[in-house]
Amino acid sequence: MKRIALLRERAITAGSAGSTGSHCPASGQWSPEGEPHVVQTFFEGHVFPAHNGAATVWHRQYLVSESR
């Protein structure tokens, strides 16, 4: 039961943004605010760094699945 609760919590936080100095809520590819073409991979628990020497908000990038 505990594992299921953790997976639900992870699904809720996976779409959220994180700011410089906070911990990454879910592993994946993230982009700094205003620069969606800049992509970095962060793992869950990693501390978000500054971007270009300034604090920023990081947004998770999602892959669009192709239809068959």
Side-chain angles (χ1 to χ4, degrees):
M1 294 300 258
K2 186 165 181 101
R3 182 174 176 83
I4 293 170
L6 290 175
L7 289 175
R8 282 189 200 140
E9 180 181 324
R10 222 181 250 179
I12 291 169
T13 61
S16 63
S19 58
T20 297
S22 67
H23 293 273
C24 179
S27 298
Q29 293 185 332
W30 295 76
S31 294
E33 190 167 61
E35 297 188 51
H37 59 281
V38 176
V39 178
Q40 291 188 16
T41 301
F42 296 113
F43 295 100
E44 183 177 346
H46 183 90
V47 176
F48 286 117
H51 178 68
N52 290 335
T56 189
V57 175
W58 293 89
H59 297 277
R60 187 157 187 215
Q61 298 295 309
Y62 294 96
L63 296 176
V64 177
S65 58
E66 297 178 4
S67 60
R68 294 180 188 200

